[in-house]
Amino acid sequence: MSDEMTGTPPRKVPPAAPAAMLDGTPVPTPEQVVARLEEFRSRRGYVNPQQGPMAAALPGVADGYRVMYKALVLDEKYLEPLEKEFVWLSLLCVAGEMGTHHLKLFFDHGGTDAQAAAAFRLAAWVKGTSAYEFIAGNWQGFFPRVDAHQAYREGFDALVAGCEGVPLEWCCLALLSAQSGMKSKWGVEAAITLCYDRGVSEAKMAEAMSVAMWPCGANSFHDSAGVWLELVKSGRVPASAAFQAWASLPSQDGLELAARLST
């Protein structure tokens, strides 16, 4: 007779765990799990849920996670501290992520309500990109004198005009980062060309685009970089020598490998 039929509570049997990974690496002990998580907490002040499974079963991933997070998010590169947190504010708003750590940093670096309002305005503008993309793809022939790309740029200019304490460069970078997070190739193209036209540093563009990987996934950076690559290859943007060198390399889409595998 089953436990359900007798009313006896089901026995709780812990899942079986292998003693080691396939390469022979021992599975972390409970003490090692706690030590790894507490070490992170001592440095960052918090522990996130995804770090638990990594610490308990995937120590190599946990180590890589820490290195990647530091290099991508924490290390200072090209964006000034408040500039970076302004970009993060728009990105997180678009991604629908709380990002309390970045909210704290925004305020710690002197972020104002007026700057926050500008970041929110940009996030909402990014959310509306699909309307312009639809116009470009379906209605452009009906409105030949209203170019969708130009209208989008003019709307951006009107949107950010007079934003208190927010340089135009910040707005361009926030637009690019948020468009990358939204995975809108049309929007990324508009943001990249706008950044070039306004003289924004390519290095800052790369940093702003890259951080979208963290809240929005690696493919957000992959796809946005693909848009950038095509713009450079086609000569539609005045790329620097370093970026032209990148674009000159062949076979950057994996299609040759796919063709070989299919034969």
Side-chain angles (χ1 to χ4, degrees):
M1 188 176 294
S2 69
D3 290 339
E4 182 178 345
M5 294 178 64
T6 62
T8 305
R11 293 182 296 276
K12 295 182 179 180
V13 180
M21 301 181 193
L22 295 178
D23 65 359
T25 302
V27 172
T29 66
E31 293 76 19
Q32 289 172 328
V33 172
V34 171
R36 183 182 292 274
L37 294 174
E38 289 302 334
E39 189 274 335
F40 186 92
R41 188 193 303 276
S42 69
R43 288 186 297 104
R44 304 293 298 130
Y46 62 88
V47 172
N48 284 328
Q50 75 273 17
Q51 291 169 267
M54 290 191 291
L58 308 167
V61 176
D63 291 341
Y65 174 95
R66 181 171 65 179
V67 172
M68 179 64 170
Y69 183 81
K70 179 178 182 297
L72 182 68
V73 179
L74 301 181
D75 289 351
E76 292 188 355
K77 294 178 280 294
Y78 304 101
L79 302 180
E80 296 292 335
L82 183 54
E83 179 182 28
K84 181 166 71 171
E85 297 312 322
F86 178 84
V87 168
W88 268 100
L89 204 58
S90 288
L91 173 62
L92 291 169
C93 191
V94 163
E97 294 287 341
M98 278 297 293
T100 50
H101 174 65
H102 287 286
L103 298 182
K104 180 180 183 300
L105 287 175
F106 177 78
F107 291 119
D108 286 348
H109 292 305
T112 66
D113 288 346
Q115 290 167 333
F120 303 155
R121 185 182 298 183
L122 284 163
W125 184 249
V126 169
K127 286 279 194 176
T129 302
S130 58
Y132 285 91
E133 187 173 3
F134 172 80
I135 294 165
N138 299 278
W139 284 359
Q140 193 62 86
F142 297 99
F143 299 96
R145 292 178 298 277
V146 184
D147 181 80
H149 289 85
Q150 184 59 31
Y152 187 82
R153 293 161 63 94
E154 291 173 355
F156 170 83
D157 289 338
L159 191 78
V160 303
C163 286
E164 181 183 338
V166 182
L168 176 61
E169 184 175 61
W170 290 18
C171 295
C172 293
L173 292 166
L175 182 76
L176 176 56
S177 186
Q179 290 287 13
S180 298
M182 282 287 291
K183 301 182 179 68
S184 167
K185 293 184 178 181
W186 192 95
V188 168
E189 179 180 314
I192 290 174
T193 55
L194 185 67
C195 283
Y196 273 104
D197 287 350
R198 303 303 162 82
V200 178
S201 154
E202 286 174 322
K204 285 190 172 186
M205 291 165 61
E207 182 177 353
M209 182 186 286
S210 71
V211 295
M213 279 197 289
W214 204 256
C216 303
N219 279 353
S220 63
F221 191 30
H222 170 280
D223 293 348
S224 298
V227 173
W228 199 347
L229 176 63
E230 292 305 315
L231 287 172
V232 177
K233 288 172 64 176
S234 66
R236 293 178 57 196
V237 294
S240 66
F243 279 77
Q244 289 176 12
W246 157 48
S248 69
L249 295 176
S251 305
Q252 297 192 46
D253 55 15
L255 294 180
E256 284 189 4
L257 175 62
R260 288 199 300 270
L261 292 174
S262 65
T263 56

